Amino acid sequence: MRLTKTAALALPFILATTPWLTFNSQAGELDASVTQALPALERLYLDLHQHPELSYREQATGKRMAGELKQLGFEVTEEFGGHGVVGIFNNGAGPVVMIRADIDALPVTEETGKPYASTVTALDADNKRVGVMHACGHDIHMTSLIGTAQQLLKHRAQWQGTLMLVAQPAEEVGGGAKAMLKQGLFSRFPTPDQILGLHVSAAIPAGKVGIVSGYALANVDSVDISIKGKGGHGAYPQLTIDPVVLAARTVLALQTIASREVSPLEPNVVTVGSIHGGAKHNIISDEVKLQLTLRSYNPKVREQQIAAIKRISRGIAISAGLPEELMPVVYVHEDETIPSTYNDPLLAARVKASIEAELGAAQVLEVPPVMAGEDFGLYGRTQEQLPITLFWLGGVAPAAYAASQASGESLPSLHSSKFAPDYPLTISTGVRAMSRSAMDLFNAAR
């Protein structure tokens, strides 16, 4: 008998978090199956790694993902929300579980020294020739998605429901999830009961997984401030209103948002990442431009940050005697805004229990939230308020991690040109963790 979504969520918590009741007919069955599939998955990973594509240009990558899913028997929709792909596999009555992987790469020239390093170059948005690299692990994400699809179909006699796989474009620029949702991801296709994702970590050893309950990743906003002034000769500052001085005052004043305006119990960051103004030593310019990144978890804190930036920059301009027509212009790039990722606590607990049952409790870490951004959070911000959970997949070679811990020397971070995950172990762990989690979610409602 199939339960409704409400009834399924109301089941005793012990049933929802005892995955060994549903998929453990043979000890190590999934481990052995993934090991058998790993050589082909490694070849897929290397091909994806060596053929990265920038955001909004992932045409070949999307076709590759679509082809892999078609071969497995999925009903595939291509070019969705850009070069995105949606694969549906109906396996009888049961819940709808969606798994998402992102597919775009970064404008980074790879410096790992690996024999399989990317040598791809492309023209960026400014028409400059740049290197292209999967420096954020999206090649691992895609490979894990295909590996999970393989395992779930291979073991489809052991679960019921609808599996929905999403290969999402343009995550790095915050536009992919928006585009897919705008095109009708949850109206043209089944609305998921749960949504899962994973992200490679450059701070966790391969073979381990990190779980966060609640806020996992941050709200992210890009903000431009154009600070006006009255220019003139540097030798006669009394005849000017210097926007460089106003900009300096503004940068310092913005730091009081976090330290004096937002509650100390609410994590938030206001960073001025770029400041440009003037052209010559002895000329006071008419304008200085600032570029900021804002981070927070609570949506109300995000609103507080933006309101404070507008008030502070305007107040400093007024104090300098600037007229209304020369008030600062604050522009929030709403098209690039990314909401925080909130891991549904009940779903996160279920996923944690599933992965512990598959990998062992010692391989699952409870990790703190980070101030990085991920548009995965948008899938949980729809009208239905769908439960989502994204877990961290350790990617650092265990020996390199141990050496870093011993020496105190930092490891290459995500987005680094030197980031090179231990891909065989990382992929194997990702496929096992995601397959087991999805299997248990399908069976929790049975």
Side-chain angles (χ1 to χ4, degrees), residues 47-89:
D47 184 64
L48 292 169
H49 185 84
Q50 291 177 317
H51 299 92
E53 295 177 296
L54 294 174
S55 305
Y56 296 121
R57 305 181 196 178
E58 316 94 332
Q59 185 173 11
T61 305
K63 286 189 177 300
R64 178 66 192 271
M65 295 297 287
E68 294 287 336
L69 294 176
K70 287 177 182 177
Q71 286 183 3
L72 292 171
F74 280 77
E75 180 182 337
V76 175
T77 301
E78 299 182 60
E79 300 297 316
F80 193 84
H83 298 303
V85 178
V86 180
I88 302 292
F89 189 87

Side-chain angles (χ1 to χ4, degrees), residues 222-244:
S222 296
V223 177
D224 296 340
I225 307 177
S226 177
I227 296 176
K228 312 291 185 178
K230 293 183 180 180
H233 199 295
Y236 309 104
Q238 74 278 12
L239 303 178
T240 72
I241 299 179
D242 191 343
V244 172

Side-chain angles (χ1 to χ4, degrees), residues 98-110:
M98 172 180 147
I99 306 174
R100 171 272 207 174
D102 33 17
I103 68 174
D104 54 332
L106 287 160
V108 174
T109 299
E110 183 163 353

Side-chain angles (χ1 to χ4, degrees), residues 22-46:
T22 60
F23 185 57
N24 200 23
S25 57
Q26 297 180 19
E29 178 184 356
L30 183 56
D31 186 10
S33 183
V34 173
T35 299
Q36 184 180 28
L38 192 56
L41 290 174
E42 289 183 34
R43 290 193 293 272
L44 173 61
Y45 166 80
L46 293 173

Side-chain angles (χ1 to χ4, degrees), residues 78-82 178-185 187-188:
E78 299 182 60
E79 300 297 316
F80 193 84
K178 292 175 185 175
M180 298 192 93
L181 290 167
K182 184 177 181 181
Q183 196 166 334
L185 182 65
S187 58
R188 290 183 54 181

Side-chain angles (χ1 to χ4, degrees), residues 204 208-212 363-367 390-394:
I204 298 174
K208 294 183 182 291
V209 167
I211 297 286
V212 186
Q363 301 303 104
V364 182
L365 311 174
E366 291 187 9
V367 296
L390 180 146
F391 61 84
W392 292 102
L393 178 62

